[in-house]
Amino acid sequence: MNTLATTRADLSAPGPIQHYRSLDNDELSARIEAIRRRMGSRLLILGHHYQQDEVIAHSDLRGDSLQLSQQAAESRQCEAIVFCGVHFMAETADILANRPERLAQRQGKRIPVVLPDMAAGCSMADMADIDQVETCWEELAEVVDTEDITPVTYINSAASLKAFCGRHGGIVCTSSNAESILRWAFERSRRVLFFPDQHLGRNTARRMGVPLDEMPVWNPFEELGGNDEQTIRRSRVILWQGHCSVHQMFRPEHVDRLRQQVPDIRVLVHPECTMEVVDKADLVGSTGFILRQVQAAPPGTRWAIGTELHLVNRLKQEHPEQEIHFLSPIICMCATMYRIDLAHLCWSLEHLATGKPVNVIEVDTDVARDALVALERMLQLR
Ligand code: 13P
Ligand code: SF4
């Protein structure tokens, strides 16, 4: 018997997503809460900080990428995870929650990890694919010793890239541990290949003292990434030419404008912003770091925050004692995170509760095994 299913008398067969789109938020919320009550601790809903308020309201846990992957790794009671975030996060949760020792403890029973909308991807993660990374590695091998390169992938990447790192002595990082991960990598090798976010790689390595001229950018559409051999030989960090389309919208002139308009303003940005923005900021860190800075600040603190709009708006609501400005005059919003809405959440939960889960993210076994190596290296470092 499927233990996820609630009694059939309680729930009629869920309809298609179109039906849920026609329902109002009050009804969707009531139905989501009904499933949460029925399933209790067997269900874990994770919400990334960039999710909409109405989705966050139904999350058991909210956090940044690292916190959520740790929570997925530690989950012991739950029988299903619904990940309100983007595709790479659900993949990571699947790899960690269904790793071999956990499967053995549960007599082989998998925890389904559900992504309420399959279209919730990450444009940055899509900027590096495994074939491009394999080609890059082969081209590098013609110029330098790849034994002396540690591949580091930002957690915002496909499981196949994490698996590549697992196979080649590499590791995963998040925006909250990138510096300690790079330090770990430099203890093992002279060089790092960092993908897919050039800005996180550059901002972190520069803070550690790596000069810019030792950080060439690798363009996957050009031979040797668009570099000459001399540049690659001199390199310490090879930065994949990827970026976050949300964070790259913050500009240094936005910092100048707010500094002029608001006296004593503290500029707090995410490390996915460009180096020019990070250079002008007072504080730089992950979404979790941003949240902690605001929570710990005295009333009356003035902030300009450069990260996804939903998190900044929530901080404004939750901290009316502080003056919070969005760093950019234009809307910088993650359209794919925004795809998770109450309709998709309710639709996926009602399927789960009737024992017919939809949108289950299940990483291929071989890929998951290698990716786990790189993820565990990261998790053991903390
Ligand atoms: P963090 O939650 O690690 O700060 O990452 C932000 C992000 O862009 C997630 O996609
Ligand atoms: Fe990807 Fe940027 Fe959206 Fe994060 S904010 S999920 S990095 S596109």
Side-chain angles (χ1 to χ4, degrees):
M1 192 191 125
N2 190 331
T3 54
L4 283 176
T6 57
T7 45
R8 295 290 294 127
D10 292 346
L11 276 177
S12 54
I17 180 65
Q18 290 79 354
H19 163 70
Y20 290 78
R21 287 205 190 101
S22 68
L23 303 177
D24 67 29
N25 278 0
D26 287 345
E27 173 161 8
L28 290 165
S29 286
R31 285 167 65 163
I32 290 168
E33 284 309 306
I35 302 284
R36 291 183 74 200
R37 277 194 301 277
R38 280 194 191 102
M39 293 187 68
S41 60
R42 292 180 298 142
L43 170 67
L44 178 64
I45 304 183
L46 299 175
H48 187 268
H49 289 308
Y50 292 164
Q51 290 291 301
Q52 311 175 44
D53 288 344
E54 56 245 48
V55 171
I56 286 291
H58 299 292
S59 303
D60 296 297
L61 300 165
R62 61 166 134 155
D64 66 15
S65 303
L66 180 62
Q67 290 162 335
L68 294 175
S69 53
Q70 283 170 327
Q71 282 153 358
E74 283 154 20
S75 59
R76 281 180 185 273
Q77 285 196 326
C78 78
E79 293 174 19
I81 294 176
V82 174
F83 211 127
C84 299
V86 288
H87 192 270
F88 71 82
M89 297 180 178
E91 278 191 334
T92 304
D94 174 52
I95 295 166
L96 293 171
N98 293 308
R99 58 195 191 278
E101 81 257 27
R102 283 293 154 84
L103 280 179
Q105 286 160 4
R106 297 194 298 265
Q107 288 78 44
K109 190 161 160 272
R110 291 188 71 82
I111 290 182
V113 178
V114 170
L115 181 66
D117 185 346
M118 288 302 235
C122 165
S123 54
M124 174 205 283
D126 292 343
M127 288 178 194
D129 72 34
I130 186 60
D131 292 342
Q132 292 172 325
V133 171
E134 297 275 13
T135 303
C136 164
W137 198 251
E138 282 163 23
E139 290 186 20
L140 287 173
E142 286 170 20
V143 181
V144 289
D145 179 6
T146 48
E147 290 294 312
D148 206 18
I149 307 178
T150 301
V152 177
T153 189
Y154 189 21
I155 198 162
N156 299 28
S157 58
S160 54
L161 271 66
K162 296 180 178 86
F164 176 91
C165 290
R167 287 194 300 277
H168 292 280
I171 192 164
V172 177
C173 79
T174 74
S175 55
S176 50
N177 62 17
E179 189 164 334
S180 47
I181 298 290
L182 279 191
R183 205 169 298 118
W184 178 92
F186 282 131
E187 279 165 15
R188 277 150 190 80
S189 62
R190 179 188 150 68
R191 258 179 274 278
V192 164
L193 171 62
F194 191 97
F195 41 83
D197 185 19
Q198 60 173 302
H199 301 299
L200 178 65
R202 183 181 295 111
N203 290 326
T204 310
R206 213 163 68 106
R207 202 167 48 230
M208 296 168 70
V210 180
L212 283 177
D213 63 0
E214 293 178 11
M215 289 193 257
V217 174
W218 186 277
N219 177 348
F221 301 103
E222 288 186 27
E223 204 175 320
L224 208 53
N227 300 285
D228 57 30
E229 292 190 5
Q230 185 54 26
T231 304
I232 295 298
R233 281 197 201 96
R234 203 180 49 230
S235 68
R236 298 294 313 284
V237 182
I238 300 164
L239 299 167
W240 195 266
Q241 192 174 300
H243 62 265
C244 166
S245 41
V246 179
H247 288 91
Q248 76 156 16
M249 286 198 273
F250 296 103
R251 307 295 316 151
E253 51 273 24
H254 300 158
V255 180
D256 297 339
R257 181 186 60 101
L258 274 165
R259 285 209 193 277
Q260 264 171 15
Q261 288 173 356
V262 186
D264 302 324
I265 196 154
R266 309 269 292 144
V267 178
L268 174 54
V269 303
H270 195 280
E272 288 174 14
C273 292
T274 63
M275 181 181 76
E276 291 73 18
V277 170
V278 164
D279 280 352
K280 285 181 177 267
D282 298 297
L283 293 163
V284 184
S286 71
T287 53
F289 173 88
I290 290 172
L291 192 86
R292 288 191 296 278
Q293 296 309 306
V294 174
Q295 283 167 343
T301 305
R302 299 180 179 127
W303 296 106
I305 303 184
T307 194
E308 209 271 348
L309 184 67
H310 288 90
L311 173 56
V312 181
N313 282 345
R314 190 169 315 115
L315 286 169
K316 277 186 197 175
Q317 283 163 30
E318 291 179 353
H319 294 277
E321 80 287 0
Q322 300 192 30
E323 185 180 320
I324 297 176
H325 300 260
F326 191 55
L327 179 58
S328 168
I330 53 165
I331 291 171
C332 305
M333 187 190 101
C334 181
T336 48
M337 285 272 184
Y338 190 66
R339 294 198 69 101
I340 310 293
D341 55 14
L342 291 188
H344 283 90
L345 183 55
C346 186
W347 172 72
S348 56
L349 282 174
E350 291 192 348
H351 276 83
L352 189 65
T354 50
K356 294 190 179 76
V358 284
N359 291 5
V360 176
I361 304 296
E362 191 170 331
V363 177
D364 169 84
T365 312
D366 291 344
V367 172
R369 181 199 56 226
D370 292 347
L372 182 62
V373 173
L375 279 164
E376 284 190 326
R377 283 185 188 130
M378 172 185 83
L379 293 171
Q380 278 158 15
L381 260 187
R382 286 177 58 96

